[in-house]
Amino acid sequence: MTSPDPSTAEQWTAVDRYFCDLLLAPDSTLDAALLASAEAGLPAINVAPNQGKLLYLLARIHRARAILELGTLGGYSSIWLARALPIGGRLITLEADPKHAEVARANFTRAGVDSLIELRLGPALETLPQLAAEGRGPFDLIFIDADKPNYPDYFRWALKLSRIGTVIIADNVVRKGAVLDPASSDENVQGARRFNEMLAAEPCVSATAIQTVGCKGHDGFAIAVVVAESKESQHGSASP
Ligand code: SAH
Ligand code: DHB
Ligand code: MG
């Protein structure tokens, strides 16, 4: 028997606040980035503060020197990731919307991380082939958080730009549980479902997914590590 679940979205938010107050140092730079994003009319779809810190911790744990992010928005998650870089490390972040890019660039400057970040403006399905053509990568960590319908293609590009050991994280793969519905008419849900299925079918990665509740409602993220050289990869297993 399971007991009735008393939790509500309000309680999830209160618990998020409890952990953020306890474990995240007050951070006027990140607050300013969110404020500038809100003032510019950007949607508040950045990762939650404790998820931003999780990205930072994962990048640190993995000692990621080269990070790729798909979907910059106002640069909130980018700042968390950039702060995890060692000296000489670099983050490339891809954003399609010029207004989002402009807000993000100002936020990077204010946060003092602008010299660590290369923001590439344009639809990711155009900037990813450019990165590949320039021989960029392999990346140590790739965070997929742009438009959900293209997640399957983003996964293919992530593999191409990976090496054995690359960590691939994809946000928003639960969508309030809507991901369970194979008949969903929501193209975001369909994108997440196809992505999850590809993750399951791809022998070159080992993956899991975690649901999250909190100030951003009920969603979740997938995390994978590249365990074998994929046919798609242009990088083999080389790791400096
Ligand atoms: N990672 C950010 C949130 C990203 S929201 C954070 O947590 O702070 C998703 C972003 O993807 C939006 O800014 C949106 O403009 C961008 N986007 C949507 N379609 C895109 C595309 N085709 N290529 C690149 N970026 C895209
Ligand atoms: C949406 C996008 C996100 O990256 C997110 O974290 C939450 C919502 C969206 O497009 O609805
Ligand atoms: Mg997201």
Side-chain angles (χ1 to χ4, degrees):
M1 283 289 280
T2 53
S3 52
D5 182 355
S7 57
T8 63
E10 259 164 59
Q11 193 183 30
W12 302 340
T13 303
V15 174
D16 258 3
R17 197 172 309 118
Y18 165 78
F19 278 124
C20 290
D21 288 351
L22 269 179
L23 301 173
L24 278 62
D27 197 316
S28 57
T29 304
L30 286 170
D31 293 346
L34 289 182
L35 186 63
S37 301
E39 279 172 352
L42 272 51
I45 54 174
N46 51 277
V47 294
N50 43 355
Q51 192 186 352
K53 184 145 184 197
L54 175 65
L55 292 171
Y56 164 87
L57 290 172
L58 289 169
R60 294 251 342 221
I61 290 163
H62 192 46
R63 297 192 169 87
R65 293 179 57 85
I67 302 179
L68 175 64
E69 175 181 66
L70 283 63
T72 316
L73 191 66
Y76 183 77
S77 54
S78 323
I79 294 171
W80 275 112
L81 287 167
R83 285 176 171 178
L85 290 168
I87 290 166
R90 208 153 173 79
L91 166 72
I92 298 181
T93 185
L94 311 180
E95 174 57 52
D97 186 317
K99 183 172 135 187
H100 296 186
E102 190 189 325
V103 173
R105 285 197 170 107
N107 284 335
F108 296 158
T109 304
R110 196 183 302 105
V113 292
D114 49 317
S115 64
L116 310 176
I117 301 180
E118 198 177 318
L119 190 161
R120 296 219 174 182
L121 179 61
L125 289 179
E126 289 174 18
T127 49
L128 286 162
Q130 284 164 13
L131 287 177
E134 290 168 24
R136 302 301 290 266
F139 293 92
D140 305 312
L141 187 150
I142 301 176
F143 178 47
I144 302 175
D145 195 21
D147 50 315
K148 317 309 166 193
N150 282 322
Y151 267 33
D153 284 328
Y154 295 154
F155 181 57
R156 276 187 209 100
W157 278 105
L159 288 177
K160 246 191 243 297
L161 296 167
S162 288
R163 55 161 171 92
I164 290 175
T166 294
V167 171
I168 300 172
I169 302 165
D171 198 22
N172 311 116
V173 299
V174 175
R175 315 288 308 193
K176 296 187 167 73
V179 74
L180 293 179
D181 180 8
S184 172
S185 57
D186 182 337
E187 57 178 8
N188 297 314
V189 171
Q190 288 301 345
R193 281 182 61 85
R194 285 203 310 281
F195 170 84
N196 294 334
E197 285 156 16
M198 284 173 75
L199 209 52
E202 174 55 63
C204 296
V205 303
S206 178
T208 189
I210 295 293
Q211 306 186 67
T212 53
V213 295
C215 61
K216 299 287 174 181
H218 175 207
D219 211 324
F221 61 91
I223 180 163
V225 63
V226 177
V227 293
E229 205 169 309
S230 85
K231 289 192 300 290
E232 318 241 11
S233 173
Q234 11 185 70
H235 295 285
S237 56
S239 167

